[in-house]
């Protein structure tokens, strides 16, 4: 199905684990170091450099942009490393996360509690994914290089719903279906 | 003694770093195509289609296969009749990595001090260098850009001999089960058995350089590889963890003698973007 950003409770309620989704609109990019800086800022009582209310964060650190390109290769990184920070961002209104790999129980609980969603993009399909990114702009933490906070404009960005607000988990479902003794 | 110029080593590595990150080996592409043919899961087939399309885009030389262009693992087989002149061998390697990653628009993914400051070194150095001295008058250089996601799923068990073959299998299968979707399956599972803790881990990584489709030449070890591959693929994790038949493309095992009290088992996981390129000088 097609999905446009920003997300609302109503748009998240329609998503179920295993759904394939194409996202169009603005998404933000942050990985380990940018997450640490954002959560440190919240701990100090400061505002974030961007308003994440209703937004999606993509866990990604691109390869360098060549002259004439929008962005370099841009596939997802392992989401588990952001588990320590994700519930805090959902508390302040983050609605979606894109990455790859397993999430910890507190993240799945926060997804249910705050009506958010965790999507997976295909790890290692970075050159292909990059073709769906139409604009890229560094918003903060420029000194972090590939780990800077960025804003992207995407068109039909391909993802699959892994964790939904109903407690569904596409990784668990898939494994159960295809496991053999 | 045959003389080889240090700058020749630098230039070769700079070229290999860029090639490895854009051109997936024919053996890996063939394994992905086979996985696509036998995959029963629609989500798994979709992932494999995306990966095969990605290979086609990357080989045009503009976009690297993966944004994580890795830590530069460099394996050197140095002929004992070779004399490197005009510079230091290891410096020449680091310089090659620096030039390849900087000039080739590859991501710089190395931090210096690892436990607090974690500041990016900005040129992807240092390379992680493994050196073997071998007979002959040539140098073989292999670069293996190794991504962080799969490397983080590595594991070591210092098993006791009583654990036996079954203990080895249980540890390896359990390691891959726990890793789930994290290391970008379908993976290649590298295993080192025996030696010391460090040797087991190095053999696990070294085994990943074996072309896909080849089994260990020792029949008993090859039988272990086949049994491990079947058990791992029966986990049902599938491409990118979304469920399916192919969780691993291959299992590669290397063994070495060990102490009467020990049975070290090292596991090093390689994602489907199994990149390596080599050159002989």
């Amino acid at each position: 199905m097609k999905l446009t950003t920003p997300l609302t409770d109503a748009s998240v309620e329609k998503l179920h684990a295993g759904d394939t989704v194409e996202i169009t609109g603005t998404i933000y990019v942050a990985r380990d170091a940018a997450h640490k800086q954002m959560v440190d800022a919240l701990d100090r009582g400061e505002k974030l450099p961007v308003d994440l209310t209703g937004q999606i964060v993509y866990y990604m650190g691109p390869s360098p942009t060549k002259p004439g390109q929008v962005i370099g290769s841009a596939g997802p990184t392992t989401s588990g490393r952001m588990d320590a920070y994700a519930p805090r961002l959902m508390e302040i209104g983050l609605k979606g996360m894109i990455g790859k790999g397993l999430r910890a129980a507190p993240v799945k609980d926060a997804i249910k509690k705050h009506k958010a969603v965790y999507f997976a993009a295909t790890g290692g399909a970075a050159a292909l994914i990059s073709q769906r990114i139409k604009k890229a702009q560094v918003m903060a933490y420029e000194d972090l290089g590939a780990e800077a906070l960025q804003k992207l404009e995407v068109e039909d960005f391909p993802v699959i719903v892994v964790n939904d607000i109903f407690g569904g988990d596409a990784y668990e479902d898939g494994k159960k279906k295809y496991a053999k003794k | 003694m045959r003389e080889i110029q240090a700058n020749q080593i630098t230039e070769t590595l700079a070229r290999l770093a860029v090639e490895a990150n854009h051109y997936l080996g024919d053996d890996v592409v063939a394994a992905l195509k086979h996985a696509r043919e036998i995959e029963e899961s629609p989500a798994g087939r979709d992932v494999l289609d995306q990966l095969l399309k990605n290979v086609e885009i990357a080989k045009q030389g503009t976009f690297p296969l993966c944004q994580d262009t890795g830590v530069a693992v460099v394996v050197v087989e140095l002929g004992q009749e070779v004399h490197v002149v005009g510079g230091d061998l290891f410096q020449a390697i680091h310089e090659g990595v620096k030039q390849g990653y900087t000039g080739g628009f590859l991501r710089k993914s190395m931090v210096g001090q690892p436990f607090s400051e974690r500041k990016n070194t900005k040129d992807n150095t240092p390379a992680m260098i493994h050196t073997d001295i071998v007979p002959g008058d040539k140098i073989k250089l292999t670069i293996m850009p190794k991504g962080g996601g799969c490397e983080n799923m590595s594991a070591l068990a210092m098993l006791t001999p009583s654990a036996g073959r079954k203990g080895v299998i249980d540890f390896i299968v359990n390691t891959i089960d726990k890793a789930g979707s994290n290391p970008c399956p379908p993976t290649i599972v590298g295993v080192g058995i025996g030696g010391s803790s460090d040797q087991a881990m190095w053999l696990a990584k070294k085994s990943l350089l074996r072309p896909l489709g080849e089994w260990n030449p020792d029949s008993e070890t090859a039988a272990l590889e086949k049994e491990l591959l079947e058990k791992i693929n029966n986990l049902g994790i599938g491409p990118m963890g979304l469920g399916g038949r192919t969780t691993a493309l291959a299992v590669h095992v290397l063994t070495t003698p060990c102490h009467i009290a020990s049975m070290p088992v090292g596991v090093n996981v390689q994602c489907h973007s199994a990149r390596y390129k080599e050159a002989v000088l």
Side-chain angles (χ1 to χ4, degrees):
Chain A
M1 71 175 79
K2 305 267 185 188
L3 192 65
T4 51
T5 64
L7 304 183
T8 60
D9 282 357
S11 54
V12 169
E13 280 164 3
K14 286 184 204 142
L15 301 172
H16 292 86
D19 288 349
T20 54
V21 175
E22 293 187 321
I23 300 170
T24 297
T26 299
I27 62 174
Y28 290 93
V29 170
R31 47 172 290 154
D32 309 52
H35 272 80
K36 184 173 191 313
Q37 297 219 13
M38 284 195 285
V39 169
D40 284 351
L42 291 174
D43 286 345
R44 291 191 300 265
E46 296 168 11
K47 274 195 156 181
L48 295 186
V50 294
D51 181 3
L52 290 180
T53 311
Q55 300 298 336
I56 296 176
V57 167
Y58 181 24
Y59 302 145
M60 192 274 285
S63 66
T65 310
K66 288 181 180 169
Q69 282 180 344
V70 172
I71 196 166
S73 285
T77 195
T78 313
S79 307
R81 295 195 315 275
M82 271 52 77
D83 283 354
Y85 311 111
R88 189 73 194 276
L89 296 183
M90 283 184 263
E91 271 173 34
I92 61 156
L94 180 72
K95 277 289 186 197
M97 296 153 282
I98 306 172
K100 54 121 177 154
L102 307 164
R103 303 313 300 258
V107 176
K108 296 184 204 173
D109 290 344
I111 285 170
K112 284 193 269 185
K113 185 176 168 192
H114 301 291
K115 291 202 172 175
V117 59
Y118 171 50
F119 301 104
T122 299
L128 180 70
I129 289 171
S130 180
Q131 316 302 309
R132 306 292 175 92
I133 300 171
K134 303 303 167 188
K135 268 190 206 165
Q137 186 188 354
V138 173
M139 301 299 283
Y141 317 139
E142 194 163 6
D143 57 309
L144 297 177
E147 294 205 69
L149 180 65
Q150 296 202 50
K151 181 181 175 180
L152 306 182
E153 298 300 327
V154 300
E155 262 177 43
D156 295 332
F157 189 94
V159 294
I160 187 158
V161 177
V162 175
N163 295 112
D164 61 28
I165 60 166
F166 312 103
D169 187 321
Y171 292 143
E172 284 174 12
D173 295 347
K175 195 178 165 200
K176 248 181 244 161
K177 194 165 173 190
Y178 291 96
K180 278 186 189 170
K181 285 259 167 88
Chain B
M1 296 291 274
R2 179 173 166 243
E3 291 192 345
I4 293 180
Q5 294 288 332
N7 65 7
Q8 206 186 338
I9 292 167
T10 296
E11 285 162 17
T12 303
L13 269 173
R15 173 175 60 80
L16 292 179
V18 175
E19 283 180 9
N21 275 298
H22 289 85
Y23 310 102
L24 201 60
D26 293 341
D27 58 333
V28 185
V29 176
L32 289 171
K33 283 184 177 160
H34 176 69
R36 172 64 182 81
E37 278 167 28
I38 62 168
E39 186 52 70
E40 296 162 16
S41 135
R45 285 200 295 267
D46 188 38
V47 164
L48 293 163
D49 281 338
Q50 288 184 41
L51 297 182
L52 289 164
K53 270 187 215 158
N54 190 67
V55 167
E56 293 303 311
I57 295 173
K59 80 179 183 195
Q60 294 164 23
T62 306
F63 292 92
L65 286 153
C66 183
Q67 78 291 337
D68 186 352
T69 52
V71 153
V73 177
V74 176
V75 183
V76 184
E77 285 180 27
L78 179 66
Q80 62 182 15
E81 317 283 333
V82 171
H83 182 205
V84 176
V85 294
D88 175 277
L89 169 64
F90 283 4
Q91 272 176 14
I93 291 170
H94 295 312
E95 181 62 26
V97 166
K98 178 181 170 179
Q99 289 181 15
Y101 276 74
T102 308
F105 291 82
L106 303 178
R107 200 179 78 184
K108 288 76 180 172
S109 308
M110 289 291 282
V111 293
Q113 192 269 30
F115 67 87
S116 59
E117 189 189 38
R118 295 190 63 81
K119 197 171 169 203
N120 199 299
T121 65
K122 303 216 157 136
D123 58 13
N124 218 46
T125 66
M128 298 197 178
I129 305 172
H130 298 271
T131 315
D132 269 342
I133 309 293
V134 298
D137 64 353
K138 294 188 164 50
I139 298 181
K140 183 173 166 189
L141 295 167
T142 306
I143 189 166
M144 172 167 52
K146 188 71 165 59
C150 57
E151 185 69 12
N152 281 351
M153 298 298 110
S154 304
L156 171 75
M158 299 304 286
L159 298 180
T160 54
S162 66
R165 188 177 186 275
K166 184 178 183 302
V168 170
I169 290 172
D170 288 348
F171 168 66
I172 296 163
V173 174
N174 189 37
T175 297
I176 301 306
D177 195 15
K178 276 193 299 186
S181 51
N182 288 5
C184 287
T187 58
I188 303 161
V189 180
V191 177
I193 308 173
S196 47
S197 56
D198 52 319
Q199 281 186 316
M201 288 311 295
W202 165 233
L203 287 181
K205 181 161 279 161
K206 191 179 179 183
S207 76
L208 298 173
L209 295 174
R210 186 200 304 164
L212 291 185
E214 291 180 17
W215 302 95
N216 189 300
D218 172 69
S219 62
E220 198 184 342
T221 310
L224 178 66
E225 291 176 336
K226 285 171 190 167
E227 188 174 340
L228 281 165
L229 182 61
E230 188 185 348
K231 286 198 155 76
I232 286 169
N233 283 336
N234 283 348
L235 290 171
I237 293 168
M240 286 315 294
L242 295 167
R245 285 277 66 83
T246 309
T247 302
L249 298 170
V251 179
H252 291 176
V253 179
L254 289 175
T255 67
T256 194
C258 66
H259 192 282
I260 49 174
S262 302
M263 192 164 64
V265 183
V267 177
N268 192 234
V269 185
Q270 170 65 59
C271 64
H272 57 72
S273 200
R275 295 156 287 179
Y276 61 88
K277 284 283 176 280
E278 60 186 40
V280 178
L281 301 179

